Amino acid sequence: MVQEPVIAAMIILGLIALGEIISVISKARVPMLFVAMMGYLILLWLGIFPKDLLENSTFLTVGALLGTAPILVHMGTLIPLRMIRSQWRAVLIAIMGMFFASLFILTIVTVFFDYQTAVAGTGPLNGGIIAVLITSEGIKELGLASLLTIPALIMALQSLIGIPLANLLLRKHATTINEQMKSGAFEASGNVAFNQENDEKLLIPKKYQTPLVLLFMLFIGGAIAVVLAKYTGIPYSLWALTIGIIGRLVKFYPERVMEKSNSFTVGMAGIIFIIIGMMNDITFEMFIDKLPAVLTILFVGVLGILLGGLLGSKLLKVNPFLGIPVALTSTFGFPGDYIVCEEVSRSIGKTEEEQKRIFNEIITPMLVGGFTTVTLGSVIIASILIKTI
């Protein structure tokens, strides 16, 4: 029965859905990927899942198509350039966090383990699932199958550290805001609102912006990125991101093009299938063997983020209780950053007005931090570093 593609896909999607439900219940504290990946590995090790389950699902093909260059073009259209310009301090703090995290991992982890291990963890710690995919693909091409555990485990565990730390520090910042409001000393920062919809005109008339046309446009960008990568040696991931950003600026692409083509959820599911599939050859012994390296990468990487966030905050005269959480967004991204801001504003603000003001003050820099690290920075870091092995 599990040889049937629909049944095989349904079983894996069931694991992913379970992870999503647990993530929602835990308010993103327990990542979906952690549940899906660990559930798959345990069932594989116990012999309950056959090794060819993912291959039987044929969903890996979907991931290979939608989950590579096209989804990176889409990510380029997500970059909120207007909001980033107004939040340049948050951008620089996030970059400093990534810089020190990368520096610490590439030096300290290389000394205790090796350079390949350090590279396997650097990109994923600085961002999200796309950085994991880029790193994992590179590792697999190099024949370093034993290292595949590292990026996946980093992705699965990092938010368990980042979210509680960001929550704790943001609460202190929110308390300061609340005290300033009560004393009359509070001045709103005038942040540019997130997700302001612009009814802007694109090069393609609105009546032709159907899901299928937008999907075709997305694949045009993805195909150009793949061709450019072949002839320049620069990774397709960097080309795809650049094409998405430029396409958005010249009004070729609408914002969130993949969502508007109704293909984003399927593409993300395809990426998760690919990442889970890369764990197929990981034995229990290999998992245990790489656990010390993973924990070391998490420790020194988060330490680097904290230091980078603190130094950036001091240099740019930003409250460290806001600046450090901005840097920490690399460990959880969206929607974790949004959820943390909601929780903090609800717990500190006593009235609806107080909660709204606190939320408005912290949400924009946090979201910009997430875009800088997860959407942009981690992809660049992973793409460059994997070429150095």
Side-chain angles (χ1 to χ4, degrees):
M1 290 291 283
V2 292
Q3 282 78 27
E4 292 292 331
V6 172
I7 295 174
M10 181 271 295
I11 293 170
I12 301 298
L13 285 170
L15 264 181
I16 295 170
L18 175 64
E20 192 79 355
I21 291 167
I22 292 172
S23 179
V24 170
I25 292 170
S26 67
K27 297 183 178 178
R29 285 183 175 82
V30 179
M32 172 273 293
L33 189 62
F34 175 76
V35 177
M37 187 188 75
M38 292 308 300
Y40 178 79
L41 279 176
I42 291 168
L43 292 169
L44 191 67
W45 292 336
L46 292 174
I48 296 171
F49 279 180
K51 231 182 171 184
D52 59 356
L53 182 65
L54 277 154
E55 188 180 338
N56 290 339
S57 74
T58 68
F59 218 94
L60 292 171
T61 307
V62 176
L65 277 174
L66 284 173
T68 50
I71 206 165
L72 284 158
V73 173
H74 163 75
M75 288 178 71
T77 71
L78 293 177
I79 310 292
L81 295 176
R82 177 168 165 260
M83 190 165 72
I84 283 176
R85 282 195 298 270
S86 71
Q87 288 288 329
W88 60 273
R89 288 184 178 85
V91 172
L92 291 178
I93 290 170
I95 290 172
M96 287 192 71
M98 288 190 292
F99 172 77
F100 279 98
S102 302
L103 180 66
F104 279 24
I105 294 170
L106 292 173
T107 52
I108 298 170
V109 174
T110 299
V111 170
F112 286 99
F113 298 94
D114 53 51
Y115 181 70
Q116 289 89 344
T117 298
V119 169
T122 304
L125 187 85
N126 281 299
I129 197 165
I130 302 299
V132 172
L133 180 63
I134 292 167
T135 304
S136 299
E137 282 182 338
I139 288 170
K140 195 171 184 181
E141 285 175 11
L142 292 165
L144 303 170
S146 64
L147 293 179
L148 287 170
T149 316
I150 294 173
L153 274 179
I154 295 293
M155 174 69 188
L157 297 173
Q158 60 186 356
S159 64
L160 298 176
I161 302 170
I163 287 179
L165 280 173
N167 193 306
L168 177 67
L169 294 167
L170 268 184
R171 286 174 66 88
K172 293 183 180 295
H173 180 59
T175 301
T176 302
I177 295 172
N178 208 29
E179 288 170 353
Q180 288 174 347
M181 284 192 289
K182 288 176 180 176
S183 66
F186 173 73
E187 290 184 13
S189 63
N191 288 330
V192 175
F194 172 68
N195 212 21
Q196 278 187 332
E197 287 290 332
N198 293 318
D199 192 21
E200 61 182 347
K201 291 183 179 179
L202 301 178
L203 295 177
I204 307 294
K206 192 169 182 64
K207 64 180 178 180
Y208 299 123
Q209 293 173 32
T210 65
L212 284 173
V213 171
L214 291 175
L215 186 63
F216 170 63
M217 291 164 62
L218 194 64
F219 269 82
I220 290 175
I224 292 171
V226 170
V227 171
L228 286 171
K230 184 178 179 181
Y231 287 104
T232 63
I234 298 170
Y236 76 84
S237 51
L238 298 183
W239 282 119
L241 262 182
T242 304
I243 289 166
I245 294 168
I246 293 172
R248 180 84 182 97
L249 284 173
V250 301
K251 301 191 186 322
F252 179 70
Y253 289 121
E255 185 183 18
R256 302 175 179 274
V257 60
M258 203 170 192
E259 293 174 26
K260 291 177 180 176
S261 70
N262 298 331
S263 57
F264 179 71
T265 302
V266 175
M268 284 302 293
I271 290 175
I272 296 166
F273 268 68
I274 289 175
I275 291 173
I276 291 176
M278 287 177 177
M279 307 297 288
N280 245 14
D281 295 323
I282 303 297
T283 63
F284 180 72
E285 290 74 22
M286 289 166 67
F287 178 86
I288 296 299
D289 181 58
K290 295 300 177 185
L291 204 52
V294 169
L295 295 176
T296 304
I297 291 167
L298 286 169
F299 177 75
V300 300
V302 170
L303 199 62
I305 292 170
L306 294 174
L307 179 61
L310 178 61
L311 290 176
S313 300
K314 294 292 185 183
L315 288 171
L316 299 170
K317 295 180 170 52
V318 174
N319 188 330
F321 292 130
L322 173 63
I324 296 173
V326 166
L328 281 167
T329 55
S330 64
T331 62
F332 49 89
F334 189 85
D337 45 15
Y338 193 93
I339 292 168
V340 167
C341 291
E342 274 192 327
E343 285 187 348
V344 167
S345 58
R346 279 201 307 263
S347 62
I348 301 300
K350 303 304 177 189
T351 66
E352 191 174 330
E353 179 64 24
E354 287 179 357
Q355 291 173 10
K356 186 178 178 182
R357 285 192 175 189
I358 291 169
F359 182 78
N360 288 341
E361 285 300 303
I362 62 179
I363 185 62
T364 308
M366 287 292 286
L367 288 173
V368 168
F371 278 117
T372 305
T373 55
V374 176
T375 307
L376 193 58
S378 64
V379 174
I380 294 172
I381 291 169
S383 299
I384 293 172
L385 286 180
I386 201 65
K387 294 292 185 183
T388 65
I389 298 180

